[in-house]
Amino acid sequence: AKAKRGLCEGSAADLSSDGEREGDIWEIEEDGSGEEMVDDYGASSSGEDELLPIEKAALKQKSDRGGLGEDDSEEEEEEEKISKQKSEQKKEENADLQLNLDIDEEFRLPTDEQIERENILSFPPDLHIIHQRIKGNMEVLQDFGVKREEGRTRQEYLALLRRDMAAYYSYSDFLLGKLMDIFPLPELINFLEANEVPRPVTIRTNTLKTRRRDLAQALINRGVNLDPLGKWSKTGLVIYDSSVPIGATPEYLAGHYMLQGASSLLPVMALAPQENERVLDMCCAPGGKTSYIAQLMKNTGVIVANDSNAERLRSVVGNLHRLGVSNAVVSNCDGRQFPKVSPYCPEVLGGFDRVLLDAPCSGTGVISKDPAVKTNKDEKDILRCAHLQKELILSAIDSVNAASETGGYIVYCTCSITVEENEWVVDYALKKRNVRLVPTGLDFGKEGFTRFKDRRFHPSLRSTRRFYPHTHNMDGFFIAKFKKFSNAIPKAQKEPAVEAASAVPVPDAITEPQPKMKKLEGSKAAKGQKKPQSALKKRHCLPAQHRPAKA
């Protein structure tokens, strides 16, 4: 009270210095609240004001629980029991999962009876069971010496794996066997999974009308999400999503870009056409590669865009007009007829600087676009395609002029991954014509096969390139580039052997019929038929009839 009174009065003696005023304040605190602050662990009225909001809420909950009745305590007990039951159930489920994992680790081959029973009881087949069996089988095959079942061979595991993958991924047994010959087992699974996902949409900028930077900005303004295709392409763009139809924008209708797969850009890049050259695109439909060639040639020179299907040439003509290509001639001919020189235009069907052959194939590299390939191809289809490709590649080589100053190159490509349509055809061309393989100029891609099963190909096939959907995120493709060094066609190597083989039976064929002819002549003479003699007399008389009469 004295201190308060001193403060209210504000006497000069009390406020003479700050030190004296502070001393008074500390004296007030020691007199008024010193007892409450002694115990740091006690709860006091002044301490409650200094508590944090979380601490206040905790105190409030404790006070509320203290006033609960018997009913509330019973509810709490029931909640605790329910939570205990749930935790026990989770433990049991985890134990079951652990048991399943232990069972999966010890993979055992099912018998034929078990497989038949599964097929009968579950139709259509249970894909989850098949998928688990594929995983277990793959683990055993990767470490076969340790994890294999006693008395079981590797062929039995492979046969089951082949059957399960054919059922799970919906492939024919024939095509799956071909793929198992090409890919190792872990890579085969990745290839099959990649075929179930569509490839990204890509477009190619038409530099005859615009630049890629300007095109990208125009499409971004229309709500298109895109990115450059890659460092290897200066014109490609990847489309992730779009708020407008990418095939009906004003830029598309104006010919500023072409919807084209990333893999179809590679053959033209390998061909590398130069300005003012004569180029043949032997199988050109629908015109994406032809327009890209014209773009690289800057509308100079001449491009012969040929296709054997007249209906597909309509799209070629439309795309060439839309993209502004003015140096192309469209023709509807069989590609195998091109090296044959026409008497009316002897310089049109041959003597090209470069030829691009995108040969028709089985389409095993574009299964994501055409899933029907999984089941509708057999051995006859692949061999039929391979035979046609061999004929076309010889025609393409014959159509090129080896004496060209800037060219003399042939690029062969297919959208197939089978060896019969790729390395086999290329090796055949190397034997039949004066050509050699050269690098394609593509920095990525896998090397072609130089040996496959019991076949051995030319070592230069390492310069060919293979592209797969699971490694390069584009359609399966094969590219080979030839350089022609002579226009002469080499003779077949088997001719001397054929002549030697045919020379052996010739004496027997001559000596045997001679006595028969004598017998026949004797019998004819006995019968009085002298037809051979009369014919000889007539032959001798003919020149005498043409002699001029003597004067």
Side-chain angles (χ1 to χ4, degrees), residues 345-402:
C345 46
E347 296 182 357
V348 172
L349 299 179
F352 292 97
D353 296 311
R354 298 171 195 259
V355 174
L356 174 63
L357 174 58
D358 185 5
C361 61
S362 60
T364 53
V366 290
I367 295 177
S368 60
K369 293 181 181 178
D370 186 11
V373 177
K374 294 179 180 180
T375 55
N376 64 0
K377 300 297 179 184
D378 57 5
E379 185 72 25
K380 291 181 180 179
D381 295 328
I382 292 180
L383 293 179
R384 190 182 300 113
C385 290
H387 180 72
L388 176 61
Q389 289 157 0
K390 289 177 182 178
E391 293 180 332
L392 289 172
I393 196 170
L394 294 183
S395 300
I397 294 171
D398 293 339
S399 300
V400 171
N401 182 17

Side-chain angles (χ1 to χ4, degrees), residues 215-326:
L215 174 63
Q217 188 61 46
L219 292 177
I220 290 171
N221 294 337
R222 295 190 183 279
V224 181
N225 186 13
L226 52 83
D227 267 336
L229 180 57
K231 295 181 179 179
W232 56 271
S233 176
K234 297 181 181 179
T235 59
L237 292 170
V238 183
I239 307 298
Y240 298 112
D241 53 21
S242 174
S243 59
V244 294
I246 200 65
T249 61
E251 288 78 14
Y252 176 82
L253 298 175
H256 290 183
Y257 64 89
M258 175 78 177
L259 279 168
Q260 193 170 359
S263 57
S264 64
L265 302 177
L266 302 174
V268 181
M269 295 173 62
L271 186 66
Q274 306 297 317
E275 297 182 18
N276 299 313
E277 284 187 341
R278 297 177 68 249
V279 180
L280 169 63
D281 189 356
M282 192 170 278
C283 304
C284 66
K289 298 181 183 66
T290 305
S291 59
Y292 193 15
I293 293 171
Q295 174 179 320
L296 295 178
M297 295 173 65
K298 299 179 182 179
N299 262 342
T300 62
V302 178
I303 302 172
V304 177
N306 177 74
D307 201 275
S308 60
N309 192 341
E311 294 182 358
R312 299 187 69 188
L313 284 175
R314 297 178 182 177
S315 60
V316 176
V317 174
N319 284 324
L320 294 181
H321 281 297
R322 181 176 59 85
L323 297 169
V325 176
S326 60

Side-chain angles (χ1 to χ4, degrees), residues 43-59:
S44 62
S45 60
S46 63
E48 288 179 0
D49 297 337
E50 296 176 358
L51 291 175
L52 294 171
I54 295 174
E55 295 174 345
K56 290 179 181 179
L59 290 173

Side-chain angles (χ1 to χ4, degrees), residues 447-523:
E447 294 180 353
F449 293 106
T450 56
R451 53 187 300 173
F452 180 74
K453 298 175 73 172
D454 58 342
R455 292 188 173 275
R456 300 294 180 269
F457 303 119
H458 197 271
S460 62
L461 277 162
R462 292 190 184 91
S463 61
T464 61
R465 286 291 175 265
R466 281 175 163 265
F467 301 91
Y468 298 123
H470 62 283
T471 55
H472 307 100
N473 200 18
M474 60 178 67
D475 295 327
F477 229 75
F478 174 83
I479 299 175
K481 186 175 182 179
F482 298 91
K483 170 66 175 175
K484 188 175 181 181
F485 57 85
S486 175
N487 289 325
I489 298 176
K491 294 181 180 180
Q493 297 178 357
K494 294 182 180 180
E495 286 183 358
V498 172
E499 290 176 359
S502 61
V504 174
V506 168
D508 298 334
I510 294 172
T511 55
E512 288 178 359
Q514 282 180 353
K516 294 181 181 179
M517 294 296 293
K518 290 180 180 178
K519 289 181 180 179
L520 287 172
E521 289 176 358
S523 62

Side-chain angles (χ1 to χ4, degrees), residues 73-256:
S73 62
E74 291 177 357
E75 290 179 359
E76 285 183 354
E77 291 177 358
E78 290 179 358
E79 289 178 357
E80 289 178 358
K81 289 180 180 179
I82 292 168
S83 63
K84 288 180 180 179
Q85 291 177 357
K86 289 182 177 179
S87 62
E88 290 176 358
Q89 289 178 358
K90 287 182 179 179
K91 290 179 180 179
E92 292 177 357
E93 290 176 357
N94 292 331
D96 294 338
L97 290 173
Q98 188 64 33
L99 288 173
N100 290 334
L101 290 173
D102 295 338
I103 292 169
D104 291 340
E105 288 177 1
E106 298 177 358
F107 176 76
R108 293 185 178 275
L109 282 175
T111 61
D112 295 337
E113 296 178 357
Q114 293 176 351
I115 295 173
E116 289 179 2
R117 195 180 303 119
E118 286 180 7
N119 295 334
I120 294 170
L121 296 176
S122 60
F123 184 81
D126 191 351
L127 297 180
H128 179 69
I129 295 174
I130 295 175
H131 186 61
Q132 293 296 329
R133 197 158 60 200
I134 290 172
K135 283 185 176 180
N137 202 340
M138 290 288 294
E139 291 177 359
V140 173
L141 289 170
Q142 288 177 2
D143 193 3
F144 189 71
V146 177
K147 296 183 179 181
R148 74 184 184 92
E149 188 179 347
E150 293 184 2
R152 297 282 192 170
T153 62
R154 190 179 185 87
Q155 296 301 325
E156 294 177 355
Y157 283 89
L158 289 173
L160 177 65
L161 180 64
R162 180 172 175 175
R163 182 165 48 188
D164 287 342
M165 286 195 296
Y168 186 77
Y169 294 102
S170 302
Y171 280 78
S172 65
D173 184 69
F174 162 74
L175 184 57
L176 197 59
K178 287 286 184 185
L179 297 177
M180 290 180 73
D181 292 336
I182 295 173
F183 296 106
L185 289 179
E187 191 176 0
L188 176 60
I189 297 293
N190 296 333
F191 174 78
L192 297 177
E193 290 288 346
N195 286 335
E196 303 300 318
V197 182
R199 303 276 77 76
V201 179
T202 57
I203 62 175
R204 175 183 56 82
T205 308
N206 182 20
T207 56
L208 295 175
K209 291 190 174 184
T210 185
R211 296 185 301 175
R212 186 170 71 168
R213 184 188 306 170
D214 299 337
L215 174 63
Q217 188 61 46
L219 292 177
I220 290 171
N221 294 337
R222 295 190 183 279
V224 181
N225 186 13
L226 52 83
D227 267 336
L229 180 57
K231 295 181 179 179
W232 56 271
S233 176
K234 297 181 181 179
T235 59
L237 292 170
V238 183
I239 307 298
Y240 298 112
D241 53 21
S242 174
S243 59
V244 294
I246 200 65
T249 61
E251 288 78 14
Y252 176 82
L253 298 175
H256 290 183

